[in-house]
């Protein structure tokens, strides 16, 4: 530690002498010293941003837990834990190589499996870059968990989680981002703009979520025989709200961190990210207020997430004013999208399809429409090609995977297990051992809003102490 401190101090002295115009000879040339300090700063910023993105796993877990019923909380936490744990191993073994390995034809990487591009004593940037990318892969995987909540077999979900991290996400990622390391994706060669992943991460997760929700079918009791929506309320709006704030914080690593460079460009990305989320939350609140007669909390929270997803593609190439417009449209869009999918009898307990799939597509299109370089129909066309390519690859692949799981090991728990709750039948426990859970509404959110939140949880009176 002492040796490293001395080395870093020497670098700073050398760099400061360059800035001061000092011509005194140093162990390193001034230019080399400045470059080395910058390189170290890039490592630190990239890894700090990776930590922020990792913390988004906690946000997703809390949002999903809060928006669903108390009897499924353990199952939700286990899925989010395994999304990252098993996904990390799958991405290390296969996904990273498919995404960033040497690419022939711009479609798929062919090298770098098992982190073989790094050797002891080699370039440590491979390790920093891998760490930043694996948290993105985990984000794409965990998006699907919410749309499939409360009715999916844990064992089947684990297989899906591995395959999206190893194959589905990395292959599309190689088309758009492969050139960030050793690849050369065909979409990026066209000039496709998706700076931090509105489509690469969020729409991939959203369209896979759509496939999973369609194959599974709705939760028991979600729709009446005549097709009307019967909201199944979540159990803890406080958890959901905390999760959204954690995700909002994490996005300050997700978007600015995608520079992988510690420089002044991150300031505008921070501002754009925040403004889009804020305007989208306000827009969703206003629209839900008009539709339901009250400012609906679930829609407002999802509005913030919709704005964050929407600005992710264009956060580095649009102005702050454009970011507000992008967020406003995302906030309106997410409300109507949630209502649309409910009318189609596609049950998505947390609104993942609308937030990530639909608003991810909107954000990618918006990156072309509001490009600071000026509007160009050719740029917008490339954006549309990327959006279509993402859906054409992700949805059929994920749908086929879920159908295969359904036909082989089974994808959905039995009706009896669904009624009892996945915590007991899949994990042998309960998240609230001192509480008695009733399966009816109350506790938060509006029952008028599809996918509203709130389930009554009554405290059991402890036994009287013996005297």
């Amino acid at each position: 530690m002492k040796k490293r401190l001395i080395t870093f101090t020497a670098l700073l002295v050398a760099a400061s002498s360059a800035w001061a115009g000092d011509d005194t000879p140093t162990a390193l040339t001034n230019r080399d010293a400045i470059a080395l300090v910058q390189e170290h700063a890039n490592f630190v910023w990239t890894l700090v941003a990776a930590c922020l993105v990792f913390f988004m796993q906690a946000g997703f877990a809390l949002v999903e837990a809060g928006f669903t019923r108390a009897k499924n909380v353990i199952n939700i936490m286990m899925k989010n834990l395994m999304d990252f744990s098993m996904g990390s191993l799958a991405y290390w073994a296969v996904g990273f190589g498919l995404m960033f390995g040497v690419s022939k034809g711009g479609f798929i990487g062919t090298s770098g499996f098992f982190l073989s591009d790094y050797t002891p004593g080699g370039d440590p940037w491979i390790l920093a870059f891998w760490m930043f990318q694996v948290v993105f892969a985990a984000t794409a995987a965990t998006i699907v968990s919410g749309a499939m909540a409360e009715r999916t077999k844990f064992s089947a979900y684990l297989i899906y989680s591995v395959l999206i991290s190893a194959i589905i996400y990395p292959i599309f990622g190689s088309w758009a981002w492969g050139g960030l390391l050793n690849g050369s994706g065909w979409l990026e060669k066209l000039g496709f703009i998706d700076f931090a992943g509105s489509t690469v991460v969020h729409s991939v997760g959203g369209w896979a979520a759509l496939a999973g929700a369609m194959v599974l079918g709705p939760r028991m009791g979600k729709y009446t025989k005549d097709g009307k929506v019967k909201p199944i309320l979540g159990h803890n709006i406080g958890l959901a709200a905390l999760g959204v704030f954690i995700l909002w914080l994490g996005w300050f690593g997700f978007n600015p961190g995608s520079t992988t460079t510690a420089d002044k460009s991150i300031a505008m990305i921070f501002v754009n990210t925040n403004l889009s989320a804020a305007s989208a939350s306000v827009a969703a609140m206003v629209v839900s207020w008009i539709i339901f007669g009250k400012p609906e909390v679930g829609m407002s929270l999802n509005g913030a997430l919709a704005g964050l997803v929407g600005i992710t593609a264009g956060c580095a190439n649009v102005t702050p004013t454009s970011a507000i417009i992008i967020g406003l449209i995302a906030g309106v869009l997410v409300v109507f999208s949630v209502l649309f999918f409910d009318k189609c009898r596609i049950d998505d307990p947390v609104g993942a399809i609308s937030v990530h799939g639909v608003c991810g597509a909107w954000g990618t299109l918006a990156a072309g429409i509001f490009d600071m370089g000026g509007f160009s129909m050719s740029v917008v066309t490339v954006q549309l090609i990327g959006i279509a390519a993402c859906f054409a690859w992700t949805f059929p692949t994920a749908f086929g995977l879920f159908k295969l799981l359904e036909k082989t090991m089974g994808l959905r728990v039995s009706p009896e297990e669904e009624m009892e709750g996945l915590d007991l039948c899949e994990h042998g426990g309960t998240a609230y051992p001192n509480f008695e859970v009733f399966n009816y509404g109350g506790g938060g959110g509006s029952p008028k809003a599809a996918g509203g939140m709130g389930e009554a949880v009554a405290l059991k009176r402890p036994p009287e102490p013996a005297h």
Side-chain angles (χ1 to χ4, degrees):
M1 177 64 73
K2 184 177 180 182
K3 182 179 179 181
R4 291 178 182 174
L5 182 60
I6 293 172
T7 301
F8 188 68
T9 303
L11 292 175
L12 290 177
V13 170
S16 64
S17 67
W19 294 325
D22 187 355
D23 294 329
T24 304
T26 60
L28 293 173
T29 66
N30 292 331
R31 180 176 297 179
D32 289 342
I34 293 170
L36 194 53
V37 170
Q38 179 65 59
E39 182 184 12
H40 287 183
N42 294 344
F43 271 79
V44 172
W45 167 237
T46 299
L47 292 172
V48 167
C51 292
L52 287 170
V53 179
F54 168 76
F55 194 44
M56 291 173 71
Q57 292 292 124
F60 281 119
L62 292 176
V63 167
E64 186 180 345
F67 281 0
T68 53
R69 289 168 289 185
K71 62 185 179 180
N72 298 307
V73 170
I74 290 176
N75 179 259
I76 286 163
M77 295 300 170
M78 283 293 292
K79 287 191 299 180
N80 280 270
L81 175 64
M82 289 300 110
D83 276 334
F84 190 80
S85 299
M86 297 185 71
S88 291
L89 297 174
Y91 194 70
W92 162 76
V94 179
F96 186 70
L98 291 178
M99 191 165 177
F100 293 109
V102 175
S103 175
K104 296 180 180 179
F107 284 93
I108 189 170
T110 58
S111 66
F113 302 108
F114 302 97
L115 266 179
S116 57
D117 283 345
Y118 175 77
T119 56
D123 183 5
W125 178 248
I126 297 290
L127 302 178
F129 185 76
W130 181 88
M131 193 66 228
F132 188 71
Q133 294 302 326
V134 75
V135 292
F136 274 57
T139 299
T142 204
I143 287 167
V144 185
S145 175
M148 300 178 66
E150 304 199 288
R151 60 209 192 275
T152 306
K153 282 187 176 181
F154 185 66
S155 55
Y157 184 83
L158 291 181
I159 293 175
Y160 152 77
S161 183
V162 167
L163 291 178
I164 191 172
S165 298
I167 297 173
I168 297 176
Y169 165 74
I171 287 180
F172 182 78
S174 72
W175 301 351
W177 288 352
L180 294 176
L181 195 61
N182 297 321
S184 55
W186 67 270
L187 266 178
E188 61 183 333
K189 288 180 180 178
L190 294 177
F192 181 61
I193 303 170
D194 191 0
F195 185 76
S198 285
T199 285
V200 176
V201 179
H202 295 283
S203 281
V204 165
W207 300 143
L210 174 61
M214 290 177 66
V215 174
L216 272 175
R219 291 167 292 173
M220 295 171 61
K222 175 65 177 180
Y223 303 103
T224 62
K225 292 182 179 179
D226 58 1
K228 292 183 179 179
V229 178
K230 185 180 178 182
I232 299 176
L233 304 178
H235 86 285
N236 194 325
I237 198 65
L239 288 183
L242 177 60
V244 169
F245 283 116
I246 289 173
L247 287 170
W248 197 325
L249 171 66
W251 241 281
F252 293 135
F254 203 96
N255 288 357
S258 293
T259 60
T260 64
T261 304
D263 64 16
K264 295 181 289 186
S265 68
I266 64 175
M268 188 182 73
I269 300 173
F270 265 90
V271 170
N272 285 346
T273 300
N274 190 68
L275 287 176
S276 182
S279 62
S281 182
V282 171
M285 178 194 69
V286 171
V287 171
S288 68
W289 205 333
I290 293 170
I291 294 175
F292 308 120
K294 297 288 184 180
E296 212 284 317
V297 62
M299 292 295 189
S300 302
L301 291 170
N302 267 339
L305 298 180
L308 290 163
V309 171
I311 196 58
T312 295
C315 57
N317 74 295
V318 303
T319 66
T321 300
S322 295
I324 292 174
I325 297 171
I326 291 169
L328 288 172
I329 295 173
V332 174
L333 188 61
V334 73
V335 175
F336 287 104
S337 178
V338 167
L339 297 177
F340 169 78
F341 283 112
D342 246 340
K343 288 182 179 178
C344 294
R345 299 176 65 89
I346 298 173
D347 183 16
D348 178 0
V350 304
I353 300 166
S354 300
V355 169
H356 300 278
V358 174
C359 291
W362 156 242
T364 304
L365 179 61
I369 294 173
F370 295 97
D371 187 1
M372 283 191 296
F375 179 83
S376 168
M377 195 61 219
S378 62
V379 172
V380 172
T381 300
V382 170
Q383 297 302 98
L384 290 170
I385 291 171
I387 292 167
C390 178
F391 186 87
W393 161 249
T394 305
F395 179 78
T397 307
F399 192 88
L401 171 61
F402 288 126
K403 275 293 185 182
L404 180 63
L405 292 172
E406 181 185 50
K407 297 296 183 182
T408 52
M409 64 187 302
L411 186 62
R412 183 166 181 155
V413 298
S414 69
E416 294 77 16
E417 290 172 325
E418 186 175 341
M419 286 291 293
E420 185 179 31
L422 274 63
D423 287 0
L424 284 172
C425 69
E426 293 272 35
H427 307 284
T430 175
Y432 300 98
N434 296 321
F435 287 74
E436 183 177 349
V437 179
F438 300 95
N439 292 307
Y440 57 80
S446 170
K448 294 181 181 180
M453 304 90 199
E455 176 183 310
V457 181
L459 178 64
K460 282 186 174 179
R461 182 180 296 276
E464 293 293 331
H467 295 288

